[in-house]
Amino acid sequence: MQILQSIYNVLWGAPMLILLVLTHLILTFRTRFIQASTLRAIKLSVTPDTEASGDVSSFGALATALAATIGTGNIVGVATAIAGGGPGAVFWCWLTGLFGMATKYGEGLLAVKYRVKTADGTMLGGPMYALENGLKQKWLGVAFAVFAGVACFGIGNMTQGNSISTMVQSNFHVSPYITGIVLTVGTGCVILGGVKSIAKVCEKLVPLMAGLYILGCLIICVINGPYLGKAISLIISSAFTEQAIAGGIVGGGLMVALRSGVSRGLFTNESGLGSAPIADAAAQTRNPVRQALVSMSGVFWDTIVVCAMTGLVLVSTIVKNPDAAINPATNALYTGGDLTTHAFSTIPVVGPIVLTIGLITFAWSTILGWSYYGEKCWEYLLGKKALMPFRILWTLVVFIGCVTALDLVWLIADILNGLMAWPNCIALLGLSGVIVSETKKYLWDDNMDAFSDDEMKIIDNK
């Protein structure tokens, strides 16, 4: 743990923060603040494009990506960021999402631009194909696929299963083994059907789970109404300076809040991570820009809405009752799920139930979404023959996650997140000229309904 913590501290130090911030800012300016097209992006996300090529609808691809991104990071991750970096971490998490929308736009565009088609008509894409076919750096594509292919078992599987079993045991006194069995069977039934089965479930699950959770947050904000102004002020001020919060505990100041907020922001919306474009590549879309905008809208929902709501709920609850947020055993803020549970207990009786259901559905949907990311990385490395063994292994690992302590896994997942970001950001920066030219061709020149004239590469993925 000490060795891995040292690696994490180096990896998530100044170089990583500079890389992510520069990537977000460069793409924001080069795309002329593509974030201004958010409303258009949301409209496109619910507009079917059945005449275009792809395995699933644009909304199905978005739902799959959102299923993977809206997870425990939106609930437990934000609380962990506040406990580690103070309320100011919420500001940096939110700002990472705002500028990260341009990065997610670029990722989605490159995923469709450089996607390939297999002999049986299946679409494959993501950073590994952009690195190989765009930058002509296959070794970086292989590196990304290896990092993501291993990271998926931590960030997208074991940690999610563990969060579910812990919450169910805490609230309903159900054995983790029983939870593990139910979750394993449910996961296997969905992922064995491939991307179409995953997208079909996610299209129904994502709107329901997000809507229920946001409703709970809104109710808490109404209850905490008199404290919202002070909470917002505390979030902004403590993003830059040390500020006393609950029980006189002092926040970490600029660098601590910045690192905590940015790392949690990446964990939740995955802008710069390179995972979501793997789902974008499967979308039915007539040109890269349309799906890129749809992909960008996912960050809006994930971070600008859901994470911001979580942060506001947590900080306003701390402001309202500072002493109740202190763990008497450690004399520090409650961390992770305990802090969120404390906030949702503001809603009598049903609050903890809404939180539990939200966490379960968020985490399970993340398991489904990341299963697709992982299998496509291993398909890139080993071919189609890797698909079924991966799906079986993935299903079994869900059970292991439910019944195993995972402090080590969380740390390894954060490290692998950082390793994934490097080759992905190299692709984004190296191909930023392509992103600009495609944006001009379709968006700025008002050709959004035009079909791409790119010749799609056909590969043999046996």
Side-chain angles (χ1 to χ4, degrees):
M1 284 291 290
Q2 290 177 347
I3 293 172
L4 289 173
Q5 187 64 53
S6 298
I7 294 173
Y8 168 83
N9 291 337
V10 172
L11 186 62
W12 282 102
M16 174 62 74
L17 296 179
I18 292 171
L19 173 69
L20 290 172
V21 170
L22 279 180
T23 302
H24 291 349
L25 291 176
I26 288 171
L27 291 178
T28 293
F29 288 111
R30 294 211 67 185
T31 58
R32 301 180 187 174
F33 286 83
I34 194 68
Q35 295 91 332
S37 299
T38 299
L39 291 179
R40 188 172 192 176
I42 294 172
K43 182 180 178 180
L44 283 172
S45 70
V46 294
T47 304
D49 194 4
T50 55
E51 298 179 13
S53 300
D55 298 329
V56 297
S57 67
S58 288
F59 182 73
L62 174 64
T64 302
L66 278 175
T69 54
I70 300 181
T72 54
N74 298 82
I75 301 176
V76 179
V78 175
T80 301
I82 293 172
V90 176
F91 174 83
W92 294 115
C93 181
W94 185 85
L95 203 63
T96 298
L98 179 63
F99 286 100
M101 291 176 72
T103 299
K104 187 61 72 74
Y105 170 83
E107 290 175 333
L109 190 152
L110 295 179
V112 176
K113 172 74 175 177
Y114 294 108
R115 68 182 178 178
V116 300
K117 183 184 289 188
T118 66
D120 62 3
T122 302
M123 298 291 186
L124 300 176
M128 51 278 199
Y129 294 94
L131 286 162
E132 178 179 347
N133 300 325
L135 275 186
K136 309 301 180 184
Q137 299 292 328
K138 184 174 181 177
W139 71 275
L140 280 174
V142 171
F144 174 86
V146 170
F147 294 147
V150 177
C152 65
F153 286 99
I155 183 177
N157 189 323
M158 296 180 71
T159 56
Q160 308 298 328
N162 186 262
S163 295
I164 292 174
S165 65
T166 301
M167 183 64 73
V168 170
Q169 183 179 34
S170 175
N171 287 276
F172 305 112
H173 309 292
V174 175
S175 167
Y177 289 90
I178 295 176
T179 302
I181 292 172
V182 173
L183 199 61
T184 299
V185 172
T187 301
C189 289
V190 176
I191 71 169
L192 292 178
V195 65
K196 292 183 179 179
S197 174
I198 294 171
K200 186 177 180 180
V201 172
C202 292
E203 283 178 353
K204 296 178 174 60
L205 185 62
V206 169
L208 177 64
M209 70 182 191
L212 181 64
Y213 180 73
I214 290 173
L215 177 62
C217 288
L218 288 173
I219 293 173
I220 295 174
C221 285
V222 170
I223 296 174
N224 293 349
Y227 305 92
L228 288 180
K230 186 175 180 180
I232 294 172
S233 175
L234 184 60
I235 288 171
I236 296 173
S237 60
S238 61
F240 303 96
T241 59
E242 292 186 348
Q243 294 284 324
I245 47 177
I249 295 175
V250 178
L254 174 59
M255 284 309 299
V256 177
L258 180 63
R259 185 170 72 176
S260 185
V262 170
S263 64
R264 287 301 107 187
L266 176 60
F267 185 86
T268 56
N269 65 54
E270 300 173 16
S271 294
L273 193 62
S275 50
I278 298 174
D280 292 324
Q284 294 172 337
T285 184
R286 60 185 65 198
N287 61 63
V289 170
R290 288 176 69 99
Q291 186 57 32
L293 286 170
V294 171
S295 181
M296 182 185 77
S297 71
V299 183
F300 172 80
W301 295 117
D302 176 87
T303 307
I304 306 302
V305 176
V306 178
C307 281
M309 292 293 294
T310 301
L312 200 55
V313 161
L314 294 177
V315 177
S316 65
T317 302
I318 293 172
V319 171
K320 178 182 178 181
N321 192 357
D323 294 335
I326 300 297
N327 185 342
T330 62
N331 198 34
L333 278 175
Y334 280 112
T335 60
D338 291 333
L339 183 58
T340 314
T341 300
H342 165 64
F344 268 77
S345 65
T346 302
I347 307 176
V349 184
V350 298
I353 297 175
V354 169
L355 176 62
T356 302
I357 294 174
L359 180 61
I360 291 172
T361 53
F362 280 19
W364 187 53
S365 70
T366 299
I367 292 173
L368 299 181
W370 267 90
S371 71
Y372 180 71
Y373 298 162
E375 76 169 42
K376 291 308 168 189
C377 287
W378 287 109
E379 184 175 359
Y380 175 80
L381 294 169
L382 302 176
K384 192 175 182 179
K385 61 181 179 291
L387 293 183
M388 192 53 66
F390 173 85
R391 292 172 185 175
I392 294 172
L393 178 62
W394 183 268
T395 303
L396 295 176
V397 170
V398 171
F399 180 81
I400 296 173
C402 288
V403 299
T404 307
L406 294 179
D407 289 345
L408 185 65
V409 176
W410 273 103
L411 192 54
I412 293 173
D414 271 341
I415 290 172
L416 288 170
N417 278 355
L419 292 175
M420 288 170 62
W422 281 96
N424 180 59
C425 287
I426 289 172
L428 287 165
L429 296 175
L431 296 170
S432 60
V434 174
I435 295 171
V436 172
S437 64
E438 292 289 299
T439 303
K440 180 182 184 304
K441 179 179 179 180
Y442 296 106
L443 181 61
W444 298 340
D445 292 346
D446 199 23
N447 292 314
M448 288 294 290
D449 291 330
F451 283 85
S452 172
D453 55 5
D454 293 325
E455 185 176 345
M456 192 173 297
K457 183 179 179 181
I458 308 296
I459 66 166
D460 182 357
N461 67 327
K462 291 181 180 179

